[in-house]
Amino acid sequence: MTVLKLLSRTKLYWGLIAIFLIGVLGSPMSSKGNNIFLSYGNLLDVLRQVSTTGLIATGMTAVIITGGIDLSVGSLMAICSVVCAMLLTVPGVTPGVVLGVPTVGLVALCLGFVVTRFIFQNLAKSRAGADLLREIKLDGIRGLVTPAVVGVVLCCLSLWFLLPQIEPKFGVLGVLLVAPCVGLLFGALNGFIIVAGRLQPFIVTLAMMVTALGIARLTAGQNNAVLPVYTGSNATADFEILRSLVFGIIPMPGLFFLSAILIYGAVLRFTPFGRYVYAIGGNEEAARLSGIAAGRVKIATYAVSGLLAGIAAVLYVAQYRQGKPDAGAGLELDAIAAVVIGGTSLMGGRGSLTGTFCGVLIFGLLSNILQLHNINSNLQLVLKGMIIIGTVLVQERNAGDLLAYLRLPGGQSAHKETAAAKRPSQETPSLNLGGNKK
């Protein structure tokens, strides 16, 4: 029984190992007799290719754990790619500058205010020995004046850094600051509308997906379906660093992806914010009654999702040497599929970034295996869809129910076990809410 429990808990890793073994055993050989799938260059390409989807899936994981969904990340990546390409290649005041630079100033102002106020509140709580969930009222200096001053200073510093880059065109650090801030602003707007308007995340992010796509096209202009970026020609040569191998070992996009997984994973696992995310997904009303600022936490998760979409956009521009309004078309579906394959429940309250990392790798390795065997692209989509359904059935432990419904061997016992698990125990004592003694 212990072995079965262990296998059940590690089934995701066994799935990843199985996909990897299939790739190794079924790999074509090179002219020198080497296994192409196991070649260092091929495995690096897999990591490079999954990095963009992986960054978006990282932000999507926390959103889904809260019980939400973000359909706008593909369009947010598209608009950020357009802004990034325009800042790199077109000097002077452009639509990309008009959209990006004020956004950085606004984000810096808000972040400076929120972070400073958060620090003062936690210092006051620690000194008072108060419960972390309890709100502490700050005086005017610590609660308003000092946070506002810090926000204004950060805003001025960011503008001081960006404004001189407008005429000669932006560099690597400039676009790495502007594009993520644009994504963060749109993501935070998603969360704010969901919380303040009490609307379904599906509807809000669907509307944002369409809106961001329109803004991306307006920003690019009617005659610019694609904005080419050639490092050393129409863009700074330093931008090539985002395509390079770090120490000749790992591609730069992969480093961004792994860093995001590790940092955000640690935040969700070891900080109060992470515990709040899981609590909201488990029961939002109970979390709110216990004192958790559920609205702020949800806004933060959508803001981080947009931020990571902006970083993915910069890496997309570096890899494909272009920015375009439809750069992220369908990417939100790939990210959601990777998150669900990784074991995160769409109902919220359950999931991890470790699982998302495995889900992204499973998706990437599967695509690589199909490409190495020259499988028709349409057939690849069919196979991916079937694998997603099968994986979710296993993750949700509903495969036995399906087999029982189809009256296939092995389904009856599994169906009985599932029904027994769902049936309340007859030995469980009832709650005596009236307080009467028996």
Side-chain angles (χ1 to χ4, degrees):
M1 191 66 177
T2 305
V3 175
L4 292 177
K5 286 185 178 180
L6 180 62
L7 290 175
S8 177
R9 292 178 180 177
T10 59
K11 57 190 173 185
L12 182 62
Y13 305 104
W14 289 109
L16 179 59
I17 293 172
I19 289 289
F20 188 82
L21 290 177
I22 291 172
V24 172
L25 298 177
S27 172
M29 298 295 178
S30 66
S31 57
K32 296 181 179 180
N34 297 324
N35 189 300
I36 296 178
F37 178 81
L38 276 180
S39 65
Y40 187 65
N42 181 68
L43 295 179
L44 282 184
D45 285 340
V46 171
L47 180 58
R48 188 186 297 272
Q49 290 169 7
V50 303
S51 296
T52 300
T53 305
L55 279 168
I56 292 179
T58 300
M60 184 75 73
T61 301
V63 171
I64 292 179
I65 290 175
T66 63
I69 197 78
D70 191 352
L71 300 179
S72 67
V73 285
S75 295
L76 295 188
M77 196 192 92
I79 190 173
C80 291
S81 75
V82 169
V83 170
C84 176
M86 189 167 287
L87 294 178
L88 285 169
T89 60
V90 184
V93 179
T94 62
V97 170
V98 173
L99 176 61
V101 174
T103 297
V104 174
L106 179 61
V107 169
L109 178 64
C110 294
L111 281 180
F113 183 90
V114 170
V115 172
T116 305
R117 184 179 173 85
F118 174 79
I119 292 173
F120 278 132
Q121 280 186 335
N122 280 274
L123 288 175
K125 288 177 182 179
S126 62
R127 290 172 182 172
D131 187 357
L132 287 176
L133 297 179
R134 179 184 166 189
E135 285 292 335
I136 297 292
K137 290 185 178 181
L138 300 174
D139 56 58
I141 299 297
R142 294 181 300 167
L144 182 62
V145 176
T146 303
V149 170
V150 173
V152 170
V153 170
L154 284 180
C155 177
C156 293
L157 288 175
S158 61
L159 294 178
W160 173 77
F161 173 70
L162 293 176
L163 290 178
Q165 301 185 49
I166 294 178
E167 287 302 326
K169 294 187 292 191
F170 279 65
V172 180
L173 294 179
V175 295
L176 278 174
L177 177 61
V178 175
C181 283
V182 172
L184 186 148
L185 179 64
F186 279 96
L189 184 60
N190 271 334
F192 178 78
I193 296 174
I194 290 169
V195 172
R198 297 183 181 180
L199 299 176
Q200 289 294 327
F202 182 91
I203 299 300
V204 175
T205 57
L206 180 64
M208 180 60 74
M209 177 178 71
V210 178
T211 303
L213 179 61
I215 295 175
R217 290 177 177 174
L218 290 173
T219 304
Q222 295 293 331
N223 300 322
N224 290 319
V226 175
L227 296 169
V229 177
Y230 303 116
T231 53
S233 177
N234 67 344
T236 175
D238 295 340
F239 195 64
E240 190 70 18
I241 193 174
L242 296 181
R243 292 172 50 88
S244 62
L245 293 177
V246 181
F247 302 117
I249 300 175
I250 182 172
M252 184 65 76
L255 184 62
F256 274 87
F257 170 44
L258 295 176
S259 299
I261 283 283
L262 291 174
I263 295 173
Y264 208 17
V267 169
L268 291 180
R269 185 174 179 84
F270 300 112
T271 67
F273 174 81
R275 293 193 290 272
Y276 299 164
V277 167
Y278 282 97
I280 292 170
N283 190 324
E284 183 174 348
E285 185 63 24
R288 186 178 288 106
L289 292 174
S290 67
I292 296 175
R296 298 177 191 174
V297 174
K298 292 172 73 173
I299 292 173
T301 58
Y302 284 94
V304 173
S305 179
L307 172 71
L308 293 176
I311 297 175
V314 178
L315 298 176
Y316 173 90
V317 174
Q319 299 307 305
Y320 296 97
R321 301 180 185 276
Q322 63 181 6
K324 55 180 182 177
D326 60 345
L331 198 59
E332 63 278 349
L333 301 181
D334 290 342
I336 293 172
V339 172
V340 172
I341 287 175
T344 299
S345 174
L346 288 174
M347 301 300 293
R350 178 166 60 86
S352 69
L353 280 176
T354 303
T356 297
F357 178 70
C358 292
V360 169
L361 289 184
I362 288 174
F363 223 64
L365 291 174
L366 175 62
S367 299
N368 183 255
I369 291 169
L370 296 176
Q371 290 170 7
L372 288 178
H373 288 83
N374 295 318
I375 303 297
N376 182 278
S377 59
N378 295 321
L379 181 58
Q380 288 187 32
L381 295 175
V382 174
L383 293 174
K384 287 179 182 179
M386 294 173 63
I387 289 173
I388 290 172
I389 293 175
T391 305
V392 175
L393 282 173
V394 173
Q395 292 290 353
E396 298 294 336
R397 300 180 182 178
N398 293 330
D401 292 343
L402 179 61
L403 293 176
Y405 182 80
L406 297 175
R407 303 194 178 194
L408 296 178
Q412 191 67 25
S413 60
H415 177 69
K416 290 180 179 179
E417 291 178 4
T418 304
K422 292 180 179 178
R423 190 186 310 120
S425 175
Q426 295 181 356
E427 298 178 358
T428 303
S430 59
L431 295 176
N432 186 13
L433 298 178
N436 297 326
K437 297 182 180 180
K438 293 184 178 180

